[in-house]
Amino acid sequence: DMGVFLISPLDKGGMVYRPSATVARVIGHEPFSPMSFVCLHAWKTRKMHTLSLGVSKPSDVDELLEAAYLYNKGGYEKELTACEGRLKATMVEKLGEEWVNHGRMNLPDCEQPCTNGVAMGHMLWVRDLVEAFGMYEFAKARYENLENQKWDDKKTFDENRKAMAPGNQGRGYIPTGVDYTDALKDHFDADAALKKMKQSHEWLGKKAQYKDEDLKERGWDHAYNLTAWDDYPSWGGVLNMQTIMVQSLTWGILGSGGPTREFRTYCKNVRLMIEST
């Protein structure tokens, strides 16, 4: 029995293996890293039972083991609560308390005809992540899913609604041809909501292009990067799907870029160590 199963919180929970500078600074480095904080927040505060966590190299397991060790040992609860408080305080400081408490309330979902399929709450959420925590890369990836949503104006709303891809439903902001007045009529500040929706599109849309120096100036840069491709270029060869699949299917004998036999042995030993504790 796996209980409540949470899929990929380190990636879908904010790409914390490559955290923004703000996220890393607010969480701090003692006793948690962003990765171990996400695990402990999910287990302790959100009462999740099982987390699905991907790793790309042996050292990725270190922070996950640290989180499991702290969870079993206990005594971290005060620091966890303090960290969650700092994150909430940062949101209030950057967005304002009223917006934090009410900004995404009383909004229709994208399956309501008045939205014309636009995922209003979703785009406001990712926009807030950028302003509050500088999580630009994560927010842009999420917004890209909205922009890639298929929609045909020649079809009825119900036909388009039923054709939307599951999991990340809704469209991004539509600059022309959509009246948002009715959709925002119950929002506590419709003008601010519409302005922020436009900003979502301007900041995160396909035409938005920022250089590294631009991101750093805005506070939207990374603190560090733990992904394997950047930190381990010596894995050799041209990294593509074919070579990775070959290595995976041959258990590390052929190909490159995927899990090696040494990595699998390491993971086996880690499992044995956890089971023996």
Side-chain angles (χ1 to χ4, degrees):
D1 183 2
M2 293 186 295
V4 180
F5 189 87
L6 182 60
I7 299 175
S8 194
L10 301 184
D11 183 60
K12 303 303 183 290
M15 297 182 178
V16 289
Y17 47 79
R18 193 164 56 239
S20 71
T22 300
V23 167
R25 183 179 69 254
V26 174
I27 291 177
H29 61 280
E30 292 291 345
F32 315 119
S33 67
M35 289 173 66
S36 60
F37 167 79
V38 166
C39 294
L40 289 167
H41 176 75
W43 286 327
K44 184 66 177 180
T45 306
R46 297 298 179 183
K47 308 302 181 183
M48 303 290 179
H49 300 92
T50 305
L51 310 184
S52 171
L53 306 170
V55 296
S56 57
K57 58 184 184 296
S59 59
D60 287 348
V61 182
D62 295 345
E63 295 190 51
L64 311 181
L65 287 176
E66 175 193 25
Y69 171 76
L70 288 172
Y71 182 78
N72 287 320
K73 179 184 177 183
Y76 63 88
E77 292 83 0
K78 183 177 179 180
E79 289 84 357
L80 180 65
T81 301
C83 188
E84 292 168 344
R86 291 195 300 273
L87 289 167
K88 178 66 177 295
T90 300
M91 290 179 62
V92 171
E93 177 187 352
K94 297 293 183 65
L95 303 174
E97 186 170 7
E98 190 172 26
W99 183 264
V100 169
N101 292 332
H102 304 291
R104 296 197 305 276
M105 294 180 65
N106 298 324
L107 290 172
D109 61 55
C110 62
E111 294 196 350
Q112 302 301 315
C114 63
T115 66
N116 205 30
V118 173
M120 305 170 72
H122 194 113
M123 73 172 68
L124 289 174
W125 169 60
V126 294
R127 181 237 173 252
D128 288 351
L129 291 179
V130 176
E131 183 175 3
F133 300 114
M135 296 170 61
Y136 183 77
E137 181 187 21
F138 174 75
K140 189 170 178 63
R142 303 297 297 185
Y143 190 79
E144 183 179 349
N145 290 331
L146 301 181
E147 285 197 300
N148 290 337
Q149 190 71 253
K150 293 182 179 180
W151 193 273
D152 187 348
D153 289 330
K154 296 180 181 179
K155 296 182 178 180
T156 66
F157 175 82
D158 279 339
E159 287 175 327
N160 280 304
R161 178 182 60 80
K162 293 177 181 178
M164 285 194 292
N168 203 118
Q169 292 188 323
R171 298 200 287 168
Y173 179 77
I174 309 301
T176 59
V178 176
D179 185 355
Y180 298 97
T181 304
D182 187 45
L184 291 172
K185 63 182 176 60
D186 294 325
H187 195 274
F188 86 99
D189 192 339
D191 291 338
L194 183 59
K195 178 181 178 181
K196 291 174 186 289
M197 287 167 56
K198 291 178 180 178
Q199 285 179 331
S200 299
H201 189 70
E202 293 168 358
W203 293 355
L204 306 170
K206 293 179 179 179
K207 294 182 179 180
Q209 299 292 330
Y210 296 101
K211 297 180 180 179
D212 290 344
E213 52 266 32
D214 298 327
L215 295 175
K216 187 171 184 177
E217 182 179 352
R218 290 171 173 256
W220 299 351
D221 55 327
H222 295 130
Y224 52 82
N225 188 351
L226 296 181
T227 52
W229 307 145
D230 292 328
D231 294 343
Y232 284 77
S234 59
W235 282 24
V238 177
L239 296 176
N240 56 49
M241 185 57 68
Q242 180 179 354
T243 58
I244 293 174
M245 288 184 66
V246 169
Q247 182 163 357
S248 298
L249 293 173
T250 61
W251 290 75
I253 298 174
L254 302 173
S256 64
T260 63
R261 284 178 291 180
E262 291 79 10
F263 178 68
R264 294 179 188 276
T265 300
Y266 179 87
C267 290
K268 179 180 179 181
N269 292 334
V270 167
R271 286 195 295 270
L272 291 173
M273 181 181 69
I274 294 174
E275 290 171 356
S276 66
T277 58

